[in-house]
Amino acid sequence: MSYNNYNILVTGGAGFIGSNFIRYLFEKVNFDGIIVNFDLLTYAGNLKNLEDISEKYSGKNYFFEHGDICDKKRVGEIFDKYDINMVVHFAAESHVDRSILGPEEFVRTNVQGTFTLLEAARTYWLNNNGKSDKAKLTFNIHNSSLTKRFHHISTDEVYGSLGDMGYFYETTPYDPRSPYSASKAASDHLVRAYYHTYNLPVTISNCSNNYGPYHFPEKLIPLMILNMLDEKPLPVYGDGKNIRDWLYVEDHCSAVWKILTEGEVGETYNIGGENEWENIKLVNRLCEIVANKMGKDKDYYKKLITFVKDRPGHDRRYAINCDKIKNKLGWKQSVDFEKGLEKTVDWYLNNKEWVETVKSGEYKKWVEMNYDKR
Ligand code: NAD
Ligand code: DAU
């Protein structure tokens, strides 16, 4: 299959999931179209995440463009320059703790940035006034026509917090509870509004917690692995019984690709691991995996576990029902959690240079100012 008619704008492609997605397309899908990685390179964006891809494909199938999704002029220029016919929108402020400490940037990037991208797509793809001319929304690829697509990456956190029972469905009413999830919810609403109002060909996915290579070390799994290696405390919030549903990042990427190529315009798809873990159980298991790799006693790192003050408004449990994408698009998870954790720990052990670069910059100052006070 050739995709050489696809000119995809990937926003936030230098971040954790965005960079995994770009790698997935080149390495697993044999993508032969054009990918434009548009990224502001905030503290979370890192071109090292794609060094190998850039060496192989830069100037041919891969282009990096530095810029801000809130910058209307710059975003418009990118659509023009590359004749963009698909958008996969990852760029966001993504960390809940940071949204509690400083919500403004979340509203700017996640809400204003998404709005700016939607407007650029509407301007470039559609007749500006009123509803779209449907003919303008298709382009031909090997005798079959495909609509233009704006795929918005969102989170299960928009649905709020679950008790012991139940799941998040695509029909679950929104109930975001942190500035992060509220800003993502607002962006989801805007994306849907552009579909209903302007016929912009959108799809949305709401995914559970990802883990895997290139995960920024402010997030639970990499934070714990790297703190173990530094023999630093392993801070567990509250009673440690909050539950998250973990998915290996490459499985998220394969789901996004499925939706982009086979999903129905206007639809929302939940993506999840069907893999719920209490934080404390997960941290204990990670301690054992790292101990095994480091030739230590099984319980060696567990003594570092420290219960700290809870995250304000900490959502208790997330659990995704992803029957829709499984049944309608034939997607399924492929990486078993135990194997995924092993792969992740190995990746951090084998990529010390990446770890040192990430840990030594702006992030180091932020940890000292915020996290080390806990
Ligand atoms: P990340 O923080 O690792 O990466 C975000 C990227 O966006 C960075 O490269 C950053 O430089 C870029 N960026 C930030 N502001 C920008 C701006 N104004 N203009 C251009 N680029 C900008 O995030 P992630 O964990 O990879 O998450 C990616 C997306 O997936 C987000 O939309 C997030 O809400 C969503 N999501 C994440 C998870 C998860 O578990 N990490 C789960 C579900 C959904
Ligand atoms: O559910 C999807 C969401 O998952 C994404 O939308 C977010 O972008 C992503 O950051 C993630 O949000 P969480 O808040 O669930 O992830 P985090 O890794 O920050 O925390 C996971 C759990 O671990 C959560 O219950 C809080 C807890 N935690 C986290 C940290 C950083 C701790 O107990 N200690 C910690 O030091």
Side-chain angles (χ1 to χ4, degrees):
M1 175 79 186
S2 173
Y3 301 99
N4 63 15
N5 277 10
Y6 285 48
N7 299 339
I8 310 182
L9 173 62
V10 176
T11 69
F16 164 48
I17 308 175
S19 61
N20 274 286
F21 180 70
I22 292 173
R23 173 167 290 99
Y24 174 81
L25 290 200
F26 284 122
E27 290 183 350
K28 298 286 161 80
V29 176
N30 291 323
F31 184 77
D32 57 354
I34 282 176
I35 291 177
V36 182
N37 174 6
F38 186 69
D39 198 300
L40 186 58
L41 299 181
T42 67
Y43 79 94
N46 186 352
L47 286 180
K48 278 192 175 298
N49 295 2
L50 286 166
E51 243 167 19
D52 53 331
I53 297 293
S54 179
E55 266 166 35
K56 265 177 137 168
Y57 301 101
S58 200
K60 297 183 286 254
N61 304 93
Y62 173 75
F63 298 85
F64 175 72
E65 293 276 358
H66 185 230
D68 184 345
I69 54 167
C70 300
D71 182 343
K72 182 177 169 188
K73 185 165 170 283
R74 182 95 176 92
V75 171
E77 283 165 6
I78 297 293
F79 270 78
D80 256 353
K81 181 172 170 188
Y82 296 97
D83 188 22
I84 295 299
N85 48 33
M86 296 208 165
V87 176
V88 184
H89 175 32
F90 290 98
E93 286 294 332
S94 68
H95 190 36
V96 175
D97 290 342
R98 284 184 192 250
S99 83
I100 296 165
L101 292 162
E104 193 171 347
E105 199 51 33
F106 285 71
V107 176
R108 196 190 86 87
T109 299
N110 300 358
V111 186
Q112 181 77 30
T114 303
F115 165 73
T116 306
L117 284 166
L118 288 165
E119 272 297 277
R122 178 165 90 96
T123 309
Y124 193 69
W125 293 345
L126 311 178
N127 191 345
N128 231 335
N129 303 311
K131 294 220 170 189
S132 69
D133 170 356
K134 284 242 158 69
K136 285 192 177 169
L137 289 175
T138 57
F139 62 96
N140 288 322
I141 173 162
H142 291 255
N143 301 327
S144 67
S145 65
L146 191 65
T147 56
K148 293 190 168 71
R149 283 297 158 92
F150 187 110
H151 182 68
H152 176 61
I153 306 288
S154 192
T155 170
D156 59 357
E157 301 200 10
V158 298
Y159 298 125
S161 180
L162 290 164
D164 293 342
M165 308 290 283
Y167 296 93
F168 295 137
Y169 296 86
E170 285 83 356
T171 50
T172 302
Y174 275 30
D175 183 23
R177 293 145 48 97
S178 73
Y180 163 69
S181 53
S183 67
K184 291 297 289 186
S187 65
D188 294 11
H189 289 319
L190 273 172
V191 173
R192 276 192 198 101
Y194 271 65
Y195 168 67
H196 290 294
T197 310
Y198 304 115
N199 277 338
L200 195 78
V202 310
T203 45
I204 298 179
S205 54
N206 295 85
C207 189
S208 65
N209 286 64
N210 286 214
Y211 71 101
Y214 304 100
H215 205 179
F216 197 83
E218 65 193 350
K219 310 282 168 51
L220 180 76
I221 289 183
L223 180 83
M224 294 296 158
I225 297 170
L226 297 183
N227 279 14
M228 281 177 221
L229 299 178
D230 289 343
E231 308 240 353
K232 281 173 70 175
L234 308 177
V236 174
Y237 297 166
D239 64 3
K241 296 204 166 147
N242 299 66
I243 291 175
R244 297 292 181 265
D245 169 3
W246 293 96
L247 178 72
Y248 193 67
V249 62
E250 197 175 296
D251 282 335
H252 185 185
C253 298
S254 69
V256 170
W257 181 241
K258 267 263 174 216
I259 298 168
L260 197 67
T261 50
E262 297 172 39
E264 202 177 314
V265 168
E267 291 294 311
T268 293
Y269 299 88
N270 277 354
I271 307 167
E274 300 179 296
N275 175 39
E276 293 179 50
W277 280 72
E278 270 185 7
N279 292 336
I280 187 65
K281 289 198 175 137
L282 170 54
V283 172
N284 270 295
R285 184 66 200 116
L286 269 175
C287 285
E288 292 171 4
I289 294 173
V290 176
N292 182 38
K293 304 268 175 206
M294 299 301 290
K296 307 265 191 208
D297 177 73
K298 188 171 169 234
D299 293 331
Y300 180 81
Y301 291 110
K302 293 183 185 168
K303 62 177 185 290
L304 297 173
I305 294 175
T306 311
F307 288 91
V308 297
K309 196 163 153 260
D310 208 354
R311 172 185 279 175
H314 195 176
D315 289 339
R316 192 64 171 168
R317 173 173 167 256
Y318 301 147
I320 277 277
N321 176 295
C322 52
D323 288 352
K324 180 172 169 181
I325 187 169
K326 287 182 146 179
N327 297 334
K328 298 238 173 201
L329 303 184
W331 171 85
K332 62 177 189 316
Q333 310 89 345
S334 69
V335 179
D336 159 79
F337 194 45
E338 196 64 28
K339 290 209 182 82
L341 286 180
E342 292 258 356
K343 273 165 60 145
T344 305
V345 170
D346 286 341
W347 189 85
Y348 282 93
L349 289 173
N350 293 330
N351 287 276
K352 294 223 163 74
E353 198 192 313
W354 183 93
V355 169
E356 284 320 311
T357 315
V358 168
K359 277 195 338 192
S360 60
E362 208 182 313
Y363 177 57
K364 184 164 181 264
K365 282 187 230 142
W366 189 80
V367 170
E368 284 162 5
M369 269 176 61
N370 297 291
Y371 273 13
D372 284 353
K373 286 194 201 135
R374 295 180 298 191

